[in-house]
Amino acid sequence: MKQEITALREEAKKEIELVSSLGQLDELRIKYMGKKGKLTDLSKEMKNLSAEEKPKIGQLINEAKNEILEAFSMKNAILVKEQKEKNLKEEIIDISLPSRNLSLGTEHPITETMNFMKNIFTNMGFDVADGPEIEYVKYNFDALNIPQTHPSRDLTDTFYINPEVVLRTQTSPVQIRYMLEHKPPFRMICPGKVYRPDYDVSHTPMFHQMEGLVIGDNISFADLKGILTNFVKEVFGDRRVRFRPHFFPFTEPSAEMDVECNICHGEGCRVCKGSGWLEIMGCGMVDPEVLKAGGYNPEEVSGFAFGMGIERIAMLRLGIDDLRAFFENDIRFLKQF
């Protein structure tokens, strides 16, 4: 069997040397090293050997296998180099052909709107804060004075990871975390992704919010109106605004802020449902219980908070009537911005 191994090794090396193409080399590799190759067949004959002969013959087969593999590797390198040199001599690149057009990306309308809004608030002295999207219930609900019976805590309104952890339904938890880490006075905004199980023309399971918080001495509703009215003028121009009484668990008093419809200019149309107004955000004075949750004394400081959907602002700025268009990645839609 030693002679057979030696003869097979020499035979393979000679055939490898005579190969002139990569295709032939691959066929030869199958012939010797494949599942039904000559070397494989020879290895199977070891079962007929005695226990004393098997280690010696096994070593010889491994040595032969390594030599043949090395011969294949060296020949492959030579053939690849020859093929490259041949291609360089024979292939011609026609440099007169027009080049392919490169499609350059642009800033997504949501990102552009978010950055636009950030700049308005940072110019008014606001800090930008961020927080986790996977949030504890104590920050997402409890610290915001949201009772256990509130509908927003239902499984149909919130993505629960476990009873104590959720995908945040609002960026308000960032405000609580910021309060626990900073002493007043301060102004901050917290833009980011939030999650709720809704999907239609005006809702998606993931969307973006920007919320803001101002805490300090003698902060009043007049301060809230002044800052938010200035924000609306920066975004939409010189248009009328109004504040309607509303209820939020984390603010008291609370209000909804509307802006004059940019389609009918207050006359009433399909977009504003005949009212002449478009709702853009909720706001209000921070509830004393929320101030306590943030580590403050409601007798010493006060503040106001507000929150708005970034998609909502983008839709009003850009005249888009279906929220889902932002997330469908239709190039024809995105190229408009």
Side-chain angles (χ1 to χ4, degrees), residues 267-285:
E267 296 296 323
C269 65
R270 183 175 63 87
V271 174
C272 63
K273 299 179 180 178
S275 69
W277 298 92
L278 296 169
E279 175 194 325
I280 60 168
M281 75 174 82
C283 56
M285 302 302 294

Side-chain angles (χ1 to χ4, degrees), residues 127 129 174-182 186 188 296:
D127 295 328
V174 182
Q175 298 179 355
I176 299 296
R177 290 176 176 272
Y178 193 92
M179 292 167 70
L180 292 170
E181 297 173 0
H182 295 79
F186 62 76
M188 63 82 74
Y296 303 149

Side-chain angles (χ1 to χ4, degrees), residues 111-328:
T111 304
E112 186 276 329
T113 299
M114 184 184 295
N115 291 335
F116 176 67
M117 294 165 64
K118 280 183 185 178
N119 289 335
I120 294 173
F121 282 111
T122 53
N123 288 337
M124 290 192 287
F126 282 73
D127 295 328
V128 180
D130 195 11
E133 295 175 22
I134 299 176
E135 187 57 275
Y136 290 109
V137 168
K138 66 178 181 180
Y139 293 132
N140 195 80
F141 293 124
D142 298 341
L144 294 168
N145 199 37
I146 298 176
Q148 294 287 339
T149 55
H150 197 278
S152 64
R153 288 181 179 254
D154 293 345
L155 290 173
T156 54
D157 280 34
T158 298
F159 291 110
Y160 280 86
I161 295 175
N162 63 50
E164 300 300 324
V165 179
V166 298
L167 291 180
R168 68 182 183 190
T169 60
Q170 54 209 352
T171 53
S172 302
V174 182
Q175 298 179 355
I176 299 296
R177 290 176 176 272
Y178 193 92
M179 292 167 70
L180 292 170
E181 297 173 0
H182 295 79
K183 293 182 179 180
F186 62 76
R187 301 179 180 187
M188 63 82 74
I189 54 171
C190 43
K193 299 186 185 79
V194 297
Y195 304 86
R196 296 177 191 175
D198 295 313
Y199 189 69
D200 55 38
V201 295
S202 58
H203 299 87
T204 53
M206 185 280 293
F207 57 103
H208 300 78
Q209 277 190 345
M210 179 177 289
E211 299 193 28
L213 178 67
V214 176
I215 301 291
D217 297 330
N218 299 316
I219 302 296
S220 69
F221 204 91
D223 298 313
L224 178 152
K225 292 180 67 176
I227 284 180
L228 295 186
T229 300
N230 183 66
F231 167 76
V232 168
K233 287 184 177 180
E234 291 286 342
V235 176
F236 299 108
D238 191 14
R239 284 159 59 186
R240 292 182 299 157
V241 298
R242 72 177 184 182
F243 293 84
R244 292 179 289 106
H246 198 71
F247 169 77
F248 299 110
F250 29 81
T251 53
E252 180 59 37
S254 304
E256 292 277 11
M257 184 180 186
D258 299 333
V259 64
E260 183 183 59
C261 179
N262 61 327
I263 304 298
C264 65
H265 302 288
E267 296 296 323
C269 65
R270 183 175 63 87
V271 174
C272 63
K273 299 179 180 178
S275 69
W277 298 92
L278 296 169
E279 175 194 325
I280 60 168
M281 75 174 82
C283 56
M285 302 302 294
V286 180
D287 190 282
E289 294 301 317
V290 177
L291 290 173
K292 291 177 184 178
Y296 303 149
N297 184 348
E299 301 296 326
E300 297 177 356
V301 297
S302 59
F304 67 81
F306 57 88
M308 67 196 93
I310 293 175
E311 282 84 353
R312 175 72 168 165
I313 301 298
M315 290 172 73
L316 295 176
R317 287 180 68 217
L318 304 173
I320 299 166
D321 59 4
D322 191 332
L323 182 70
R324 295 171 292 189
F326 288 123
F327 304 105
E328 291 174 346

